[in-house]
Amino acid sequence: MKNLTIILFLTFTSLAKCQDANIITETEYNNIKINNHKLSIIKDTNGAKTAIENLFGTSVSEIDPDGDFYNYNFDGFNIGFSAIISNATHNNPIISKFEITNDNWSITIKGVTVKVGQNINLLGNVIFNTNSRSSESILYMYCDGCNNLIGIDFNQITKIITKIYFIEFT
């Protein structure tokens, strides 16, 4: 059993390291914008409904009765905050995920703005992650092996962006 645990640990560690990512500075990462709102500002809302809606408009929100999760759904954009992942508390929940699925929403990375439906060539010279689920993607992290990333999925044939997302792994 001990050997199995060690093997599983090494496997998951190597999978996390196998992500081919574009490493940007932490400042560049926090300056990423969703519809012209910096990620750092979005983080500072701590998932408060009023603050999120001041940035993005009226949402359909889902709040866990225990106050562990706060999810906000807009047309083509959803964002979630959690109080139970690492470094989070009930007074300070952090972004656990977001997903952009249509062209009503844009993301700006290092001064370049893209939307779902646009060609990935707009991003310039980037590293492609060929270790993802079923298609290639472009990942952005501020350190190698970070617990969070921003990903851009695209159609391998057309090079058209199909989804933009953020994941916090812990």
Side-chain angles (χ1 to χ4, degrees):
M1 185 65 170
K2 184 177 178 182
N3 289 340
L4 179 60
T5 303
I6 291 170
I7 290 169
L8 287 174
F9 173 76
L10 291 174
T11 301
F12 288 123
T13 302
S14 67
L15 284 175
K17 290 289 188 182
C18 288
Q19 302 291 327
D20 297 322
N22 295 275
I23 306 299
I24 58 178
T25 69
E26 190 169 1
T27 299
E28 290 170 325
Y29 194 83
N30 285 319
N31 285 332
I32 288 173
K33 296 177 184 176
I34 299 172
N35 278 19
N36 291 316
H37 300 291
K38 287 184 182 180
L39 189 57
S40 60
I41 299 299
I42 298 167
K43 288 178 182 180
D44 287 346
T45 67
N46 294 325
K49 181 178 171 119
T50 302
I52 290 293
E53 290 185 342
N54 283 339
L55 294 175
F56 300 117
T58 304
S59 73
V60 175
S61 62
E62 303 164 12
I63 299 175
D64 174 2
D66 296 326
D68 293 337
F69 302 100
Y70 308 86
N71 293 303
Y72 303 97
N73 298 301
F74 304 89
D75 180 25
F77 174 62
N78 66 60
I79 186 166
F81 292 78
S82 174
I84 61 172
I85 57 179
S86 70
N87 299 325
T89 66
H90 283 93
N91 292 330
N92 189 26
I94 61 175
I95 298 175
S96 57
K97 66 176 177 83
F98 73 67
E99 184 175 78
I100 297 171
T101 57
N102 70 28
D103 65 358
N104 292 332
W105 303 87
S106 65
I107 190 163
T108 304
I109 302 172
K110 294 178 69 172
V112 177
T113 302
V114 294
K115 295 180 175 188
V116 168
Q118 291 184 314
N119 195 292
I120 59 166
N121 291 335
L122 294 170
L123 294 168
N125 188 21
V126 294
I127 296 169
F128 297 102
N129 175 31
T130 56
N131 298 313
S132 67
R133 301 176 297 275
S134 61
S135 66
E136 287 189 7
S137 60
I138 300 167
L139 304 179
Y140 290 91
M141 304 170 92
Y142 64 84
C143 67
D144 188 22
C146 285
N147 289 334
N148 54 49
L149 61 85
I150 291 180
I152 301 174
D153 285 351
F154 62 93
N155 180 298
Q156 289 184 32
I157 296 167
T158 64
K159 307 297 184 208
I160 298 298
I161 297 169
T162 57
K163 181 171 63 171
I164 303 166
Y165 57 94
F166 169 89
I167 300 171
E168 173 71 39
F169 289 109
T170 56

